[in-house]
Amino acid sequence: KKTRFIELLKEKRQALITHAVTKGLNPNVKMKDSGIEWIGEVPEHWNIMAFKRLVSICNGQDYKDVGLKDGAYPVIGSGGEFARASSFLYNGESVLLGRKGTIDKPMYINGPFWVVDTMFYTVISGRAFPKFVYYNALTIPFVMYSTNTALPSMTGEDLSSHIIATPDYDEQKIIADFLDRQTARIDLVIEKTQRSIDLLRERRSALI
């Protein structure tokens, strides 16, 4: 029951994000048809544009020449940080996207980092609030874009051409701040529930 509860919380989290980045936070705002099937109606004052209008998609690189056990900078792969590096590829706020393997788990990062060649990193334009870009990336229909190969893959061209709906910078920030608060609450409940599951399993094992 607790495991199912976590699944429902994750579904709620995703639904909350999708609604906020496509419909906004004002339930009384006038809507218009976006013309995009997976987006549906959006607030009338929002713009419909390609993802590349907000970010530049950049390729990660092999880290073997900069890998260092006690390096100052994280090396990021599709599962998160897994090594350290003596140099960084980019410094600042960025959204990381999978190129091969795990392609449906965008990550937000702020600071200097190195990203491997199975990942993309983004250079975010001044017209975009970085956390809004991150939450928007969580709604990309990756299954639709994934190549028909044994190893799921994404192309930078497909990501750049992906169509999104977006308000102006100030409203992006308001939406992102709202989602930061709401998702943090859900994540905390998920964390506590998962800990409860772990304790129950330990108790079960000890009993046996």
Side-chain angles (χ1 to χ4, degrees), residues 13 22 32 51 63-64 66 78 104 120 132 135 140-141 150 153 158 162-163 168 170 179 184 192 197:
R13 186 183 194 276
T22 58
K32 66 180 179 182
F51 199 45
Y63 79 103
K64 64 182 180 182
V66 297
S78 58
D104 59 350
F120 295 112
F132 179 84
Y135 286 120
I140 295 174
S153 301
D158 281 342
H162 172 66
I163 302 298
D168 62 24
D170 289 340
L179 288 174
K192 288 182 176 179
I197 291 171

Side-chain angles (χ1 to χ4, degrees), residues 39-59:
I39 296 177
E41 289 193 331
V42 300
E44 192 175 50
H45 64 285
W46 285 28
N47 296 310
I48 307 298
M49 63 180 69
F51 199 45
K52 63 185 175 185
R53 296 276 301 278
L54 296 186
V55 303
S56 297
I57 306 290
C58 305
N59 291 315

